[in-house]
Amino acid sequence: MIYIQGAEAPPFIPGVTGVELDIYARKRSSRTPFHYASMEALRFELQARSAIIASARALGVSGAAFEVFELSRCNERYWSLTYNGGFELRPGVSPSAAVEDIYANGPLYAFECATAIIIILYKAVLDTIGREAFDRSFGRLYLYSWNHDADLRLITVKGQGEAFPGDVQYFKNPQVDPRQMQYQGENVIVMPEGGYFGHGIGVTSGSSIITRLNRHRVLFATQSAYLLNEATYPDFDYLQVLAGLPAEQGQHPGLAAGSAEAGWGAPPAGAYPVRARIGPRRFLLG
């Protein structure tokens, strides 16, 4: 259920269509309460989630390849390839131009699935807040696995049993063949049509991802790959601040506007407590 300034959200929002309307309908029909300080805060999240989905689709047709860290490659006009397979932004290069080059010159790039997720999120943030705000906020980009700029604040909610288009999820393969560690799991973007986007596999069903991972288990494995009961997404409130818009607080599930999980005040009764904080990434327990 969605609440705006404490009041239940209407069935429809004027001007919201397509993917944004699908996301809105799903969150509104959820049993989890989602609190927003204003209609503008809700619209911003819908736009950002839509941008994440579009960014995933665009990466899928960019020509960028899947590779393990040892075989990573990049366009060294914009990035320096580090010893461990990471991409470090070159001095004097515009962060927005470097991110856009991954999409424009995809065949020059190869990386694994966690790096792909961060790239997708950066591109979505860029498309949502604009080049000027992006360059101001993300001036020291380094792409390697889940490494990300402190201003790309990620929140992970555990135990909810649900996820929404634009969320990041993970399929885990607990009995992966140690000789094929690239199949230990798959980082994915939740897509609106009920599938998942994974780097190198495109948009497919959860059962297909599990079947694919299960082909790369140890001999006589007894445990199947599975989807972790958690979802990760950017702190949309904070992204509004980066965009130069008024800070709108309180979009996190089960949290009232101004709660501690959004970074302000004290949590309301019944709010989900912070499970852990690791750098800029926060974990909430459902």
Side-chain angles (χ1 to χ4, degrees):
M1 183 59 66
I2 294 176
Y3 296 93
I4 301 172
Q5 294 182 336
E8 185 176 330
F12 301 101
I13 302 177
V16 173
T17 59
V19 171
E20 293 179 20
L21 181 60
D22 178 54
I23 298 167
Y24 178 73
R26 293 194 194 194
K27 298 197 79 170
R28 188 174 180 275
S29 64
S30 171
R31 296 179 63 183
T32 302
F34 296 93
H35 296 268
Y36 295 84
S38 68
M39 181 63 74
E40 289 69 27
L42 173 57
R43 286 181 180 274
F44 184 90
E45 179 185 330
L46 296 176
Q47 293 167 4
R49 285 183 176 273
S50 179
I52 292 171
I53 293 163
S55 178
R57 293 190 193 280
L59 186 66
V61 298
S62 69
F66 174 90
E67 276 295 358
V68 295
F69 290 115
E70 294 81 2
L71 299 177
S72 294
R73 64 177 183 269
C74 60
N75 184 352
E76 298 204 30
R77 176 182 176 185
Y78 294 90
W79 306 92
S80 296
L81 184 64
T82 61
Y83 73 95
N84 56 357
F87 307 157
E88 185 174 12
L89 185 69
R90 285 190 174 277
V93 170
S94 159
S96 59
V99 170
E100 288 172 338
D101 185 70
I102 299 173
Y103 286 77
N105 294 299
L108 299 179
Y109 293 85
F111 39 81
E112 49 69 68
C113 64
T115 303
I117 294 297
I118 298 301
I119 290 170
I120 288 169
L121 294 179
Y122 276 138
K123 180 62 163 60
V125 171
L126 166 59
D127 291 342
T128 302
I129 70 175
R131 290 188 178 90
E132 181 179 349
F134 187 87
D135 288 345
R136 182 173 63 246
S137 304
F138 299 98
R140 300 178 61 184
L141 291 183
Y142 174 58
L143 304 177
Y144 176 74
S145 188
W146 273 98
N147 284 276
H148 57 274
D149 190 282
D151 279 326
L152 185 62
R153 297 185 180 182
L154 300 182
I155 298 169
T156 295
V157 178
K158 294 177 177 287
Q160 291 282 329
E162 64 181 351
F164 301 95
D167 280 341
V168 178
Q169 291 198 284
Y170 184 69
F171 286 86
K172 182 178 177 64
N173 191 6
Q175 292 188 300
V176 63
D177 185 334
R179 297 168 298 178
Q180 299 178 306
M181 291 305 292
Q182 64 268 37
Y183 296 103
Q184 64 184 307
E186 186 73 42
N187 292 282
V188 297
I189 299 291
V190 179
M191 303 300 282
E193 59 268 27
Y196 303 88
F197 172 86
H199 179 49
I201 62 175
V203 178
T204 188
S205 66
S207 60
S208 296
I209 295 173
I210 289 173
T211 298
R212 177 174 177 267
L213 293 175
N214 281 345
R215 295 194 187 107
H216 302 279
R217 293 179 292 170
V218 296
L219 193 63
F220 307 120
T222 59
Q223 187 173 1
S224 171
Y226 62 95
L227 177 64
L228 290 185
N229 186 12
E230 62 181 45
T232 297
Y233 51 85
D235 185 335
F236 298 111
D237 296 336
Y238 186 67
L239 292 182
Q240 281 190 278
V241 176
L242 298 186
L245 301 175
E248 304 286 0
Q249 307 159 11
Q251 60 86 25
H252 307 299
L255 302 178
S259 76
E261 296 319 317
W264 300 276
Y272 304 113
V274 177
R275 180 67 178 272
R277 291 179 184 270
I278 303 176
R281 193 174 179 192
R282 290 177 287 169
F283 295 81
L284 311 183
L285 176 63

